[in-house]
Amino acid sequence: MVAARLAASALEALTYRLWWWTRGARLPYPGFLLGLVALSLVDRFALSLTALAERTPAFAPWLAWLTGPRVLEGGWHAVEPGLASVFGSLGLLTLARVTMTAWLQATALGLRLAGPLVLTGTVWLATRVALWWALDLSRGMSPIG
Amino acid sequence: MRPGEESARTRGLLGWAAWALVLVALAALGWRWHQERGQVWEPPGLGPPLVLLRGPPADSSRGTRLVAVNPDCRSCRQSLARTVARAAGADRVGALIVDTPSRPGSAVLAGLRGSSVWWDAEGVWRRRWGHRIYGEVLCFDSKGRYVRTLPPR
């Protein structure tokens, strides 16, 4: 699990580094990767809050702002399963994670936040849409838990 | 053209080519997803073309739960065992052997828990019903009519 997370962070860092390389800017890989690994703690925290909401459903409506609607019973689960699974984690913590990732790039490259923020948001959205489609294709009519 | 400009131009071209590849891959995935969404699948059914290999075909007093099992998949055999344990007599629980072109032998049947074992000889589970996840539980009522599918237990 830790190895998979590290590999995902390494791939994510490489994607941004390549993007900025093609734009003529040099994003320092080790420092940026370290930043991404540290930011993955935000994901870990979101998972812990999700587990807390499952154990204590009374907290779920409040925690949903942070963790995304996946912790809510009822209405959210009526949404298409693939869509719910992939976008169910869209909460304030995810937005913070995306913003911090953009901020790391902006700081390292001496840029304003807007450009890296658009890039990071687009990458996040594109990967989620790709995951949604891939999940739907792999499950067919089978339900997911 | 100076070397620095040439290098920047090459980088730019490489970048556009890489992102174009990503976009093409995403578009292909989206196209395949869109195609699949338009597909009309048959609802699962208990009976032919499924082949009953063990146990009674139906029980008018109880519903039936069939766990989709590939004999080579250990986790779906465990899912079957858990479903049998949880049913506790409420529904009959059996196995539906899927993605297995040749008729399963007695050794395979002996390794499967549950009161009945059906064999999807024609691959309808995947090709006509559109299902793909091993270990899922197909629920039928006491008359053998399809009710719903539950995710793997």
Side-chain angles (χ1 to χ4, degrees), chain A residues 6-123:
Chain A
L6 280 175
S9 293
L11 187 64
E12 187 182 357
L14 190 64
T15 304
Y16 291 117
R17 183 177 159 82
L18 283 176
W19 167 264
W20 291 113
W21 176 74
T22 60
R23 311 282 294 177
R26 191 169 180 277
L27 183 66
Y29 187 76
F32 182 58
L33 174 59
L34 200 63
L36 285 187
V37 171
L39 278 181
S40 69
L41 291 176
V42 176
D43 302 335
R44 190 63 244 169
F45 181 53
L47 286 176
S48 302
L49 290 182
T50 303
L52 174 65
E54 281 167 6
R55 285 197 307 271
T56 319
F59 292 164
W62 305 102
L63 292 175
W65 288 96
L66 290 172
T67 62
R70 66 180 165 189
V71 297
L72 297 174
E73 291 295 328
W76 176 249
H77 293 273
V79 176
E80 226 180 284
L83 195 62
S85 170
V86 169
F87 287 99
S89 63
L90 179 54
L92 290 175
L93 286 175
T94 297
L95 292 179
R97 165 82 152 84
V98 168
T99 308
M100 292 293 286
T101 303
W103 178 80
L104 284 175
Q105 294 167 70
T107 307
L109 297 168
L111 299 171
R112 295 177 66 171
L113 184 63
L117 193 56
V118 169
L119 170 67
T120 312
T122 305
V123 168

Side-chain angles (χ1 to χ4, degrees), chain B residues 60-75:
Chain B
S60 59
S61 64
R62 288 190 293 170
T64 301
R65 293 183 174 212
L66 288 186
V67 179
V69 170
N70 182 309
D72 295 329
C73 160
R74 207 176 95 184
S75 66

Side-chain angles (χ1 to χ4, degrees), chain A residues 19 80 136-137 141-142, chain B residues 11 19 33 37 130 132 136:
Chain A
W19 167 264
E80 226 180 284
D136 266 3
L137 284 172
M141 296 299 287
S142 294
Chain B
R11 270 204 310 263
W19 287 104
W33 176 81
R37 274 176 90 88
R132 283 166 201 166
E136 68 178 12

